[in-house]
Amino acid sequence: MAAYVWSLNGQVWPRITPLEVKQGERVELSFVNRTLMTHPMHLHGHVFQVTEIGGVRLRGAKRDTVMVIPQQTVKVEFDALYPGYWMIHCHLLYHQAAGMMTQAAGMMTVVHYQGFESRSYDPLASMTEFPRP
Ligand SMILES: [Cu+2]
């Protein structure tokens, strides 16, 4: 049986390309669920507003996690006010970390504020028990 590997933008943690944002801008994220499972998508350090569900625009709830059902697109917006690296991931631990057992970690990436530097940012450090690429 093939192992599950969930990805964001076709990439699996920790081999990801950060989502770049600029401090002060309003950022839209589109969660496009092409799978047959529901994913509770969670952004650290921010509150976002749900602005579209299944093609219907709305002024939705403000929250940090939103359920994205199979074959659905949910859009959210947040104000980029807190410089740093911030995790964004599926809150089902098995989806987020599924690949920790299979050398492909899964549904997690980061939002990165342009110009913010941190020597401690090293996604590959989470894979210490596996060979680096
Ligand atoms: Cu998930």
Side-chain angles (χ1 to χ4, degrees):
M1 189 173 92
Y4 283 110
V5 176
W6 285 277
S7 63
L8 292 177
N9 288 339
Q11 298 179 320
V12 293
W13 180 266
R15 298 179 182 94
I16 56 92
T17 305
L19 305 175
E20 298 291 329
V21 302
K22 291 181 187 167
Q23 185 173 359
E25 71 181 351
R26 182 86 164 170
V27 177
E28 180 183 74
L29 297 174
S30 293
F31 297 112
V32 181
N33 185 354
R34 295 190 179 98
T35 77
L36 298 176
M37 301 189 73
T38 296
H39 301 284
M41 298 306 300
H42 173 57
L43 172 63
H44 287 210
H46 300 76
V47 173
F48 55 65
Q49 182 167 26
V50 179
T51 58
E52 188 176 314
I53 300 175
V56 177
R57 297 290 295 178
L58 62 136
R59 290 183 57 148
K62 293 182 177 178
R63 50 182 53 216
D64 63 14
T65 306
V66 65
M67 298 294 281
V68 186
I69 66 173
Q71 306 299 311
Q72 184 184 64
T73 295
V74 174
K75 295 182 180 180
V76 304
E77 294 181 9
F78 68 91
D79 293 315
L81 300 176
Y82 310 106
Y85 286 96
W86 295 101
M87 306 305 300
I88 181 165
H89 60 87
C90 177
H91 225 303
L92 293 178
L93 186 59
Y94 184 69
H95 294 179
Q96 175 189 345
M100 291 292 183
M101 289 82 81
T102 61
Q103 301 187 33
M107 294 183 71
M108 185 160 58
T109 190
V110 296
V111 168
H112 172 241
Y113 281 68
Q114 292 178 357
F116 181 86
E117 301 293 336
S118 172
R119 275 183 273 166
S120 63
Y121 174 74
D122 180 7
L124 295 177
S126 66
M127 301 291 279
T128 52
E129 58 264 57
F130 301 111
R132 290 179 175 229

